[in-house]
Amino acid sequence: MKKIGSGLQFNVYDLGNGKVLKKPKKDIAMYFLNLIWEPYLIFAPWILKKRIVHARGDRKEAINYFSKNPFNKSLIANLVINEDRIFQDKVHPISKEIGFSFEKGKRLIDSYYDLIFKMWKQGFAEKVYKFVENYGVNSRGEVVLIDFAEMRFSKEDVAKDILRKRWMKVNSDKRKIKGKLRKYYKQKMEELLTIKNLERYWGNENEKNI
C-alpha cells in the first residue's frame, strides 16, 4: 500500500487493485497543514480553530450522509465507506488532465456540468466548486467527484452558492483554466448553473440532462 496523496481531510493510499484507500486526518494534522499553507494563522489561532472545526464538521456530515443514504456511487468514483476506511476508484486528477488543449479542456468542462446535474438529481452538490482539485476522470473518460468532504445537501444552500457564483472564486481553477478555455468555462457555468435548472433537476432523477 503506497501513499499517493494528502489533502486537508484525508491521506490517500494506492491499493494496487484500481482502488484507493482514504484515511481521515486527525485535527492536529489539519492544524499543521493549515499553518504550512497560510503561516500567518499562527497569529490568529481563533481563525485556525474555526477552520478545523468546520472541516471536521463538513467531513462528518458527508460521511454520515453517504453511509446511510442510497446514491449513485459511480458519481463519486464508486465511493464505499466502512467506518473510518473509505474506498474509491483510482482515477486521473483533473489537475493532470486539463490545460493540454482547448478541445480536451472543453470536453472535461462539459462532463463536469453534466456531473453537477446528476448530483443535483440525487439531492447533493459539492459546495466549493474546486474543479481542478476535487474531481477526476474515470476509465470511461467521465468526470467524477473524488473529494466528497465539502458537500451541500440542501437545495436552498446550493441556490445561495449559485447566486454568489462560487465557481468564479477558486484560485486553483484560475491557475489551471486560462485564456479561451477560461472564457468557455465561465460562459457554460453561468449559462447552466442557474436557479431555474436547480429547480428542474434537484431530486428529480427522471429529468434528462441538457
Side-chain angles (χ1 to χ4, degrees), residues 134-195:
N134 289 357
Y135 294 81
V137 182
N138 65 18
S139 59
R140 295 182 298 278
E142 302 164 334
V143 171
V144 295
L145 177 64
I146 53 178
D147 189 339
F148 63 93
E150 296 177 287
M151 305 298 293
R152 298 285 194 207
F153 302 104
S154 159
K155 182 172 68 173
E156 290 70 28
D157 288 338
V158 177
K160 293 175 184 176
D161 292 335
I162 290 171
L163 293 175
R164 290 199 293 263
K165 298 182 181 179
R166 288 196 66 166
W167 56 88
M168 293 304 298
K169 302 172 183 178
V170 181
N171 289 329
S172 56
D173 287 356
K174 290 178 183 178
R175 289 192 295 268
K176 275 283 189 177
I177 307 174
K178 300 178 181 179
K180 186 167 64 170
L181 189 61
R182 179 74 180 173
K183 184 177 180 180
Y184 179 80
Y185 178 73
K186 179 181 178 182
Q187 173 194 331
K188 298 305 292 187
M189 296 292 276
E190 290 188 355
E191 174 187 333
L192 296 171
L193 267 62
T194 64
I195 301 298

Side-chain angles (χ1 to χ4, degrees), residues 95-148:
S95 60
K96 296 183 179 179
E97 295 288 323
I98 204 162
F100 295 102
S101 74
F102 174 74
E103 288 304 320
K104 182 173 183 179
K106 184 173 175 288
R107 287 195 302 272
L108 292 173
I109 289 167
D110 290 348
S111 183
Y112 175 43
Y113 67 70
D114 185 66
L115 172 64
I116 289 173
F117 290 156
K118 288 176 181 176
M119 292 194 293
W120 285 0
K121 290 178 187 180
Q122 298 271 305
F124 58 82
E126 189 249 356
K127 71 179 181 181
V128 289
Y129 295 91
K130 291 181 178 179
F131 178 43
V132 168
E133 291 184 6
N134 289 357
Y135 294 81
V137 182
N138 65 18
S139 59
R140 295 182 298 278
E142 302 164 334
V143 171
V144 295
L145 177 64
I146 53 178
D147 189 339
F148 63 93

